[in-house]
Amino acid sequence: MQKINVPWEIKRSLVVKAEEETDPRFGHKPDERPFPDFIKFGVINLDKPAGPSSHEVTAWVKRILSLKRAGHGGTLEA
Amino acid sequence: MTGILPTALEEATKVVQALLLTGKEYICVMKLHAQVSEDRIRAVLGEFHGAIYQRPPIRASVKRRLRTRKIYYLNFLETDGRNVLFKVGCEAGTYIRKLCYDVGEALGCGAHMQELRRTRVGPFVEDEGLVTLHDVSYMFAQWQETKDENLLRKFICPMEKSLELLPQIYIRDSAVGAVCHGAHLAAPGILSLDTKIKPNDAVAIFTQKGEAVALSKALESTEKILEMDHGIVAKTQRVLMPRGVYPKMWRSGL
């Protein structure tokens, strides 16, 4: 049987090319983004219920959170 | 069909293209149209490991031409009468309904997909922060009442989570502004990078604080990039960070 690399089992590690400090005046660690950016740059790991389509579920999330935009990562057929 | 449907909010919708291309895992109940021995089911499922040909089903959102898809694993779990439970890890764009049909053809008796649950979309899995629509509406209402930000953090994760399986490149603060304006990433801007990057790989560009800057396409391997002191290393394909978060540090040539 041919060996196939499972994408979520590939192990990588970081190698350093150069060193530098980051300036605390700009940006935020993703976990520490202040509101409302935390929502604007957020993703929900949603458990889709049976019945409604992926698009309907996404539209509901958009409405519940009163957002302008929401999108899902890969249609799961109804 | 139920299961993982990562839902990106507002600015984060830009990361969905990374999720669309990522591998998926499903648990499936397949209904056979005749009784078949467990040994034979295991043997036939084994034939569907690796690269398979698949023609998208009639109800599909893509052109119905034969294409190949990779099945990373296809594990038999159990049978109950004519129902077969299995777990499959596969490339984006694999139709499980069609896979069941094709397994049925290979068995000779026919089969169809009875139930399906998606258990993984790239880095998103069931046992890490999976929330229901009910959780979302309840916690959001609670947050509106109490303004306790921890409630938001319980059901929303930073978009960077979506990029965990991509090879990563960390860049200098001074290179961030240019990439946000669509510039390609040059070697001097790089501070660290993942091993095993090959030319044409999709990569994610991050600040030192771990904020996603862009989705890019690597032009060189990790080894080559480490040796480079000038030249373009990765082509920017989708900018994720808004302009102006980091200052403009390049000189405009006239």
Side-chain angles (χ1 to χ4, degrees):
Chain A
M1 201 197 301
Q2 62 193 118
K3 174 72 190 140
I4 292 227
N5 285 327
V6 181
W8 42 91
E9 286 172 3
I10 297 173
K11 296 274 181 283
R12 302 176 192 271
S13 52
L14 278 180
V15 279
V16 175
K17 187 169 191 287
E19 306 253 10
E20 194 186 78
E21 293 284 300
T22 181
D23 190 329
R25 288 177 297 165
F26 312 120
H28 297 275
K29 287 183 181 171
D31 287 334
E32 294 166 9
R33 275 195 188 109
F35 172 82
D37 278 4
F38 189 77
I39 297 179
K40 277 174 63 188
F41 293 90
V43 178
I44 299 176
N45 187 8
L46 193 71
D47 189 351
K48 179 190 166 295
S53 71
S54 298
H55 287 92
E56 286 169 324
V57 170
T58 307
W60 289 351
V61 170
K62 197 169 121 181
R63 206 175 59 213
I64 293 168
L65 306 183
S66 22
L67 304 173
K68 285 203 286 291
R69 273 196 295 171
H72 60 79
T75 305
L76 187 55
E77 60 176 295
Chain B
M1 311 305 118
T2 68
I4 296 196
L5 184 73
T7 305
L9 318 176
E10 307 278 20
E11 292 289 319
T13 48
K14 293 167 187 168
V15 303
V16 295
Q17 74 180 82
L19 293 172
L20 294 176
L21 297 175
T22 194
K24 315 285 193 293
E25 183 190 79
Y26 300 89
I27 294 247
C28 178
V29 177
M30 172 175 69
K31 181 92 164 182
L32 303 179
H33 300 164
Q35 198 74 34
V36 178
S37 77
E38 193 181 306
D39 287 346
R40 192 153 147 63
I41 296 167
R42 284 177 186 272
V44 169
L45 287 180
E47 289 171 22
F48 285 79
H49 282 253
I52 60 159
Y53 284 100
Q54 196 177 62
R55 189 181 298 281
I58 295 168
R59 258 188 77 181
S61 54
V62 294
K63 189 168 181 193
R64 297 191 61 221
R65 56 186 162 78
L66 204 59
R67 54 188 198 173
T68 62
R69 282 297 176 263
K70 278 184 210 132
I71 305 294
Y72 306 128
Y73 48 84
L74 206 175
N75 301 334
F76 171 91
L77 296 175
E78 60 178 82
T79 52
D80 176 18
R82 293 182 182 183
N83 289 322
V84 178
L85 188 69
F86 66 83
K87 183 188 258 190
V88 58
C90 57
E91 195 179 354
T94 310
Y95 284 92
I96 307 303
R97 187 177 294 283
K98 187 67 174 142
L99 179 71
C100 289
Y101 177 88
D102 290 342
V103 168
E105 293 295 294
L107 283 166
C109 62
H112 66 268
M113 186 176 84
Q114 185 77 10
E115 273 195 70
L116 186 71
R117 179 167 175 81
R118 187 152 67 187
T119 50
R120 180 191 275 276
V121 174
F124 291 95
V125 292
E126 282 187 300
D127 44 12
E128 286 169 34
L130 187 63
V131 292
T132 62
L133 269 176
H134 181 264
D135 294 333
V136 170
S137 87
Y138 177 76
M139 285 192 274
F140 189 71
Q142 287 283 301
W143 169 74
Q144 283 183 312
E145 227 170 81
T146 64
K147 294 293 165 196
D148 175 4
E149 282 189 22
N150 288 322
L151 287 161
L152 290 179
R153 292 174 209 275
K154 266 188 193 159
F155 72 98
I156 300 174
C157 55
M159 64 172 178
E160 282 76 6
K161 166 83 186 167
S162 322
L163 311 175
E164 276 176 6
L165 296 184
L166 288 174
Q168 311 188 338
I169 300 182
Y170 289 83
I171 64 173
R172 293 179 197 272
D173 288 358
S174 55
V176 176
V179 174
C180 288
H181 280 260
H184 299 322
L185 180 63
I190 295 182
L191 290 171
S192 59
L193 72 164
D194 262 331
T195 51
K196 301 180 191 170
I197 295 174
K198 301 184 301 296
N200 293 324
D201 278 357
V203 295
I205 311 294
F206 293 91
T207 66
Q208 293 175 76
K209 298 185 187 77
E211 305 149 286
V213 183
L215 295 170
S216 303
K217 188 166 96 173
L219 297 182
E220 303 291 349
S221 66
T222 300
E223 295 73 19
K224 181 80 191 297
I225 293 170
L226 284 170
E227 288 170 6
M228 289 168 73
D229 57 7
H230 67 281
I232 302 296
V233 160
K235 282 198 159 177
T236 302
Q237 299 202 301
R238 190 75 164 104
V239 174
L240 302 174
M241 182 183 274
R243 296 170 182 186
V245 178
Y246 282 73
K248 223 174 171 176
M249 300 285 274
W250 70 93
R251 285 198 292 175
S252 49
L254 289 171

